[in-house]
């Protein structure tokens, strides 16, 4: 008996219908294999996951065509149905510190054919108010991820605190491997604050000010048999950031924050969760 021929990965073609919303050349960067490499369904599953996480498309169909293979290389056709371009959100809230509030937001899933994204959101409550602007650019050439620029302003006027801050952030996110994601960022923070006392005899304190310019590195590791309901999992996060007085910051500081979680099944109905 002759051996069955081994199939290899072929070229990938993208079909966006009824209209094209991003360049095909951008989507090709998500294809991490080259024609001629061995065929494996897991490669197609990863491509589907990457396309889903983009949030550009409402429907994704990946169709390998072994009957059209040339030299045992299987071509793949990816049919994509664009999602709605704009997503609007609105809501109401109440908190003992923030008071009653409303939230409005709009996200543009694709600003242009280069796949840029934009978001604007405002949270307006009686005591705490924030406004956020964010712009994201695909960064798929090296480690699937995004370049992100954001600006956020916040004002808090509670019984105990009177603070305002304005923060600008530039970051680069990326998927290092199937378990590890990382974000490298640079922050510029300007803050004004004073903390109040309920003692009427205490004088009202003067405002204090601070400016901080600092880099940060955040990493997240997840190894789980099931992301929704894991029975075997190990996960952790780490955040490292710091600034130096005189180099854009009013203070020298360093911070490290880490978490870890471990999950193991105990029989059919129980799990042990360790944090």
């Amino acid at each position: 008996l002759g051996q069955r021929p081994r199939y290899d990965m072929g070229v990938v073609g993208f079909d966006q219908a009824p209209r094209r919303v991003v360049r095909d050349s951008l989507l090709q960067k998500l294809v991490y294999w080259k024609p001629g490499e061995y065929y494996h369904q897991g490669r197609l599953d990863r491509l589907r996951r990457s396309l889903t996480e983009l949030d550009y498309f409402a429907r994704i169909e990946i169709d390998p065509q072994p009957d059209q293979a040339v030299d045992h290389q299987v071509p793949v056709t990816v049919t994509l149905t664009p999602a709605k371009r704009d997503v609007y959100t609105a809501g109401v809230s109440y908190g003992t510190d923030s008071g009653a509030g409303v939230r409005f937001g709009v996200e543009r899933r694709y600003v242009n054919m280069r796949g840029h994204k934009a978001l604007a959101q405002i949270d307006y409550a009686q005591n705490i108010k924030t406004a956020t602007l964010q712009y994201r650019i695909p960064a798929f050439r090296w480690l699937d991820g995004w370049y992100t620029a954001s600006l956020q302003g916040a004002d808090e006027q509670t019984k105990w605190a009177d603070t305002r801050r304005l923060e600008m952030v530039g970051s680069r996110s990326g998927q290092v491997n199937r378990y590890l994601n990382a974000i490298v960022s640079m922050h510029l923070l300007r803050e004004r604050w004073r903390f109040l006392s309920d003692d009427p005899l205490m004088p009202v304190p003067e405002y204090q000010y601070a400016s901080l310019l600092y880099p940060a590195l955040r990493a997240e590791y997840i190894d789980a048999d099931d992301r929704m309901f894991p029975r075997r999992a190990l996960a952790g996060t780490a955040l490292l950031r710091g600034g130096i007085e005189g180099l854009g910051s009013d203070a020298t500081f360093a911070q490290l924050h880490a978490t870890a979680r471990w999950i193991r099944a105990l029989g059919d109905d129980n799990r042990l969760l360790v944090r």
Side-chain angles (χ1 to χ4, degrees):
L1 296 178
Q3 292 183 344
R4 295 177 58 185
R6 190 197 75 171
Y7 285 109
D8 297 320
M9 305 300 298
V11 296
V12 179
F14 292 94
D15 181 18
Q16 302 179 50
R19 69 189 189 282
R20 192 161 64 102
V21 295
V22 296
R23 296 172 178 172
D24 289 347
S25 58
L26 174 68
L27 303 178
Q28 285 288 350
K29 296 177 181 178
L30 299 174
V31 181
Y32 69 96
W33 67 83
K34 296 180 180 179
E37 296 183 0
Y38 73 93
Y39 182 90
H40 192 279
Q41 181 63 36
R43 297 179 185 267
L44 302 182
D45 293 340
R46 174 177 169 178
L47 176 60
R48 181 187 303 277
R49 184 169 63 252
S50 296
L51 291 169
T52 300
E53 291 176 353
L54 289 177
D55 199 32
Y56 295 152
F57 309 107
R59 186 174 182 181
I60 301 170
E61 298 180 6
I62 299 180
D63 182 24
Q65 300 172 317
D67 56 324
Q68 299 184 23
V70 177
D71 294 331
H72 303 302
Q73 294 187 11
V74 179
V76 179
T77 299
V78 181
T79 304
L80 304 167
T81 303
K84 291 183 178 181
R85 187 175 190 179
D86 296 315
V87 180
Y88 297 94
T89 58
V92 297
S93 64
Y94 179 80
T96 54
D97 288 334
S98 62
V102 295
R103 171 183 295 179
F104 298 101
V106 58
E107 179 184 5
R108 177 150 287 189
R109 285 187 168 113
Y110 36 89
V111 174
N112 48 39
M113 294 291 287
R114 296 186 296 277
H116 296 189
K117 289 177 175 284
L119 177 144
Q121 182 172 297
I122 184 169
D123 293 90
Y124 193 95
Q126 289 174 298
N127 302 324
I128 301 176
K129 304 166 181 63
T130 61
T132 304
L133 296 174
Q134 185 185 85
Y135 197 86
R136 292 195 290 164
I137 300 174
F140 302 152
R141 187 176 300 277
W142 176 72
L143 301 179
D144 295 356
W146 299 87
Y147 295 107
T148 303
S150 63
L151 174 65
Q152 185 178 76
D155 179 271
E156 180 178 347
Q157 304 291 328
T158 65
K159 182 179 179 180
W160 310 109
D162 177 356
T163 68
R164 286 184 179 177
R165 64 177 175 84
L166 184 65
E167 184 173 16
M168 298 177 61
V169 181
S171 66
R172 166 68 158 95
S173 63
Q175 182 179 0
V176 180
N177 55 46
R178 60 181 295 190
Y179 305 113
L180 182 63
N181 288 276
I183 302 176
V184 178
S185 57
M186 180 63 74
H187 301 247
L188 176 59
L189 173 65
R190 176 65 173 172
E191 191 167 15
R192 184 197 77 178
W193 75 91
R194 64 181 177 183
F195 296 105
L196 308 175
S197 171
D198 58 355
D199 186 348
L201 299 179
M202 292 288 292
V204 177
E206 295 184 355
Y207 285 112
Q208 298 187 60
Y209 299 83
S211 296
L212 298 174
L213 176 66
Y214 61 92
L217 172 63
R218 176 181 174 85
E220 180 183 48
Y221 178 90
I222 300 177
D223 181 7
D225 57 350
D226 188 323
R227 292 291 184 100
M228 297 298 294
F229 190 81
R231 296 178 57 80
R232 182 204 58 79
L234 176 64
T237 64
L239 172 63
L240 176 63
R241 57 189 178 183
I244 300 176
E245 184 178 0
L247 294 181
S249 293
D250 294 337
T252 297
F253 72 97
Q255 294 180 330
L256 172 63
H257 182 221
T259 67
R261 289 164 290 165
W262 183 73
I263 300 174
R264 280 295 183 273
L266 300 177
D268 295 332
D269 301 322
N270 301 283
R271 295 184 302 165
L272 173 63
L273 285 74
V274 179
R275 305 180 209 265

